[in-house]
Amino acid sequence: MATQVHHRACHLCEAICGLIIETDGTEILSIKGDKNDPLSRGHICPKAVALQDIHQDPDRLRQPMKKVKQADGSLRHEPISWDEALDTAANALADSVERYGVDSIGVYLGNPSIHNYGMMTHQGALFKLLRTKNRFSATSVDQLPHHLTSMWLFGHKLMFPIPDIDRSDYFLMLGGNPVASNGSIWTVPDIKQRIKDLKARGGKLVVLDPRRTETAEMASEHHFIKPGTDALFILAVMNVIFQDGLADLDQLAPFTDGVELVAEAVRAFTPELAAQHTGISAATITRIAHDFAKAEKAICYGRMGVSVQRYGALNQWAIQIINIITGNIDRVGGSMFTLPAVDQVRNTGPGGFARHHSRKRGLPEFDRELPSAALAEEITTPGEGQIRVLFTGAGNPVLSTPNGRQLDDALEQLDFMVSLDPYLNETTRHADIILPPTSPLEHDHYDLGFHVNALRNTTRYNPPVFEKPEGALHDWEIFVGLGERVAQRLGLEPPKRIPPHKIIDAGIKGGPYGENTEHNLSLQSLIDHPSGIDLGELKPLLPERLQTKDKRIQCATPEPLADLPRLLAEFADDTSSKDEFRLIGRRHVRDCNSWMHNYHRLVKGKNRCTLMMHPDDAKAKGLEDGTEVSIHSRVGVIHAPLEITDQVMPGVVSLPHGYGHDRQGIQMDIAVANKGVSCNDITDHEYIDELSGNAAVNGVPVTVAAA
Ligand SMILES: Nc1nc2c(c(=O)[nH]1)N[C@H]1C(S)=C(S)[C@@H](COP(=O)(O)OP(=O)(O)OC[C@H]3O[C@@H](n4cnc5c(=O)[nH]c(N)nc54)[C@H](O)[C@@H]3O)O[C@H]1N2
Ligand SMILES: Nc1nc2c(c(=O)[nH]1)N[C@H]1C(S)=C(S)[C@@H](COP(=O)(O)OP(=O)(O)OC[C@H]3O[C@@H](n4cnc5c(=O)[nH]c(N)nc54)[C@H](O)[C@@H]3O)O[C@H]1N2
Ligand code: SF4
Ligand SMILES: [Mo]
């Protein structure tokens, strides 16, 4: 058969690289970067080939599975028909609603649901019928603080300030490792080249991280910072900028309020206080504040390391306040806002916070979702509103949420569980029914989520690479199929069957480059330009783009300001015991959360699931490289081989997440052979950012001993 050439976005991470995939109609022949892609410019990482591995993986489910009791009493998953699977799942959902009410349904959606536009456009087909308060997602083990900050300051949960690195001179980065992660809440393919270009222009990258990461290695300056102390550093930088008269709102001044209140509120946060706890000297903190404020175009950005720790929301808010008081929001070379072709800021609600709370611990909702750290207890705590039936989609919370072992046990107590997922893994092994969607390359693709975060406005649509196999269903069709059945059972209006590409077509036509604009874009324009269409670099958009009611930025946000006493109280005296370590995570360029371990090309090489420890600490404990150690926290203990390295600072140990494939009943042979341990078996569901409810998987206190 003749070679076919397909253009395709890689959907595995936020960099959304453009690919050229050659096939013979049934098999993939090659995967390369698309040099004509206006955003990724030909860049790819080693994970791009995983698209082929996912597609061909014999372990990827191609038929619905049902958990069936075997003759010997054990439970095993067996293939069943789509009709039986959808009927069984829909009946279980409807039964529970009728008997116990809508809140008896729990929902958890994982990270790939944002990389799959059919899931985004059609999850409402089911969840609008099941208006449960018990909704959870990966957001609350991840970017929740970014949403809150954007909602508080700019009026919408998706108004993310995007670092304009290509035109900047000074970049202060806390707790992000884009050289390994390829960027997050910042779609920035080819970050290495962009960092090189920044430095070649005479610009500076300053990285604060408890580990000398791949990004720190490229930085102009790297400072170790003790995990969980960033808020003291960020507020000290802010305080110095205020105290030394360096605040200058510039173009933001006409529509920004409350700056004086913030200046007053942070006076106690001196560089001396921060130096005591962060491990960075007061002189260095003051110098960084001055360098930042004096740079013509500067960026302050923080990611996982500062979001998913005890002060996630305060950190993200303070980072953006620093950008505001130096006039670096909406400035070329600062942090800017996108104007995507399908304008999700206009198309979705602004978000809301703390309008209701979780039953057991009273944790706040955000955007109608509760913190995932509360999922297990909402299953096991009896009473009105207890979760009895759980729906998971594109998520693996047993490996990805704090105290995953507790959740693993809780899932066994459910009346029923249904999972929309292509794998039988640590989470879906508990499901009574697993509904596997088509492979990624069997459906079309549009980046509804990530154009919103991109450092350049571009737009791109990819038709499917392969035909949909006979009888298979896309994620969106499964949502609609369940929705239709549930609606019939409950006597509600059935969802509409509008394919995702029609929704995108309408979104583009009605968007900022659509009909009635000089661009006149539609889905057809994108089909005609398979590498994507360049809509240009980010442009200043404020105050018009602000979604606040009065089109002003109110800096004195009550919630983070009210969080300052918690921070001061924690650091009133140094309570960390001598023996204690702080556990942090680690990403590797060939991993992606929990589900890239079933592909030979990505797992080959030496074991990556090791506990990193500083040589001085190892020596003090008499531990040798490669020895098996036990790592204890308040909630559990795990074992891992020790890797002694001065990459991590003393007092800190680092273990990647997403491993722990040794649970019974999993159908992922290569992953099981590379099982590792799940660091979330010892992260703590009670160790959270109390302000936002976000998990704190970084900075968890642990002790380490020879196993
Ligand atoms: N300790 C610690 N924990 C962490 C983190 C950390 O840094 N440290 N990081 C956190 C972060 S940032 C995140 S985003 C979460 C991720 O947490 P989750 O989203 O819960 O976990 P993933 O590992 O991404 O699991 C993805 C699941 O989606 C399935 N899947 C893949 N593609 C598709 C698809 O197209 N359709 C469907 N229906 N399913 C699909 C996979 O088979 C897998 O089961 O983990 C968080 N947990
Ligand atoms: N290769 C690969 N790429 C990925 C993923 C993956 O699993 N693998 N996951 C994707 C997802 S879902 C996300 S959300 C992004 C995440 O993208 P990033 O946030 O860029 O990635 P991380 O590696 O989690 O970076 C967090 C950094 O914070 C540091 N850190 C930990 N605790 C602290 C602290 O208290 N203070 C400070 N200042 N730093 C701290 C860690 O050492 C680490 O270097 O990556 C995405 N891309
Ligand atoms: S950086 Fe790698 S995983 Fe991320 S989109 Fe590009 S090729 Fe895919
Ligand atoms: Mo994430």
Side-chain angles (χ1 to χ4, degrees), residues 449-471:
F450 299 104
H451 289 306
V452 177
N453 306 358
L455 88 165
R456 191 174 182 90
N457 290 314
T458 66
T459 177
R460 176 185 57 195
Y461 169 80
N462 308 125
V465 173
F466 294 111
E467 264 176 51
K468 180 167 130 180
E470 178 84 25

Side-chain angles (χ1 to χ4, degrees), residues 14 39 146 150 154 158-167 171 184-188 298-301 320 323 328-339 449-457 538:
E14 297 178 43
L39 187 62
H146 298 251
S150 292
F154 312 118
L158 297 178
M159 284 277 291
F160 298 126
I162 303 305
D164 187 24
I165 185 171
D166 293 346
R167 294 179 287 178
F171 198 135
S184 187
I185 315 297
W186 183 29
T187 285
V188 59
I299 296 162
C300 186
Y301 162 85
Q320 296 313 334
N323 285 329
N328 279 306
I329 287 286
D330 202 40
R331 171 185 280 168
V332 168
S335 295
M336 307 186 72
F337 298 101
T338 58
L339 193 61
F450 299 104
H451 289 306
V452 177
N453 306 358
L455 88 165
R456 191 174 182 90
N457 290 314
L538 303 188

Side-chain angles (χ1 to χ4, degrees), residues 8-9 11 19 21 23 28 31 51-52 54-55 438-444 463-468:
R8 183 72 182 190
H11 70 292
L19 307 176
I21 301 183
T23 76
I28 293 168
I31 298 181
L51 260 56
Q52 177 175 9
I54 297 169
H55 187 69
T438 45
S439 131
L441 298 179
E442 289 161 358
H443 59 72
D444 61 354
V465 173
F466 294 111
E467 264 176 51
K468 180 167 130 180

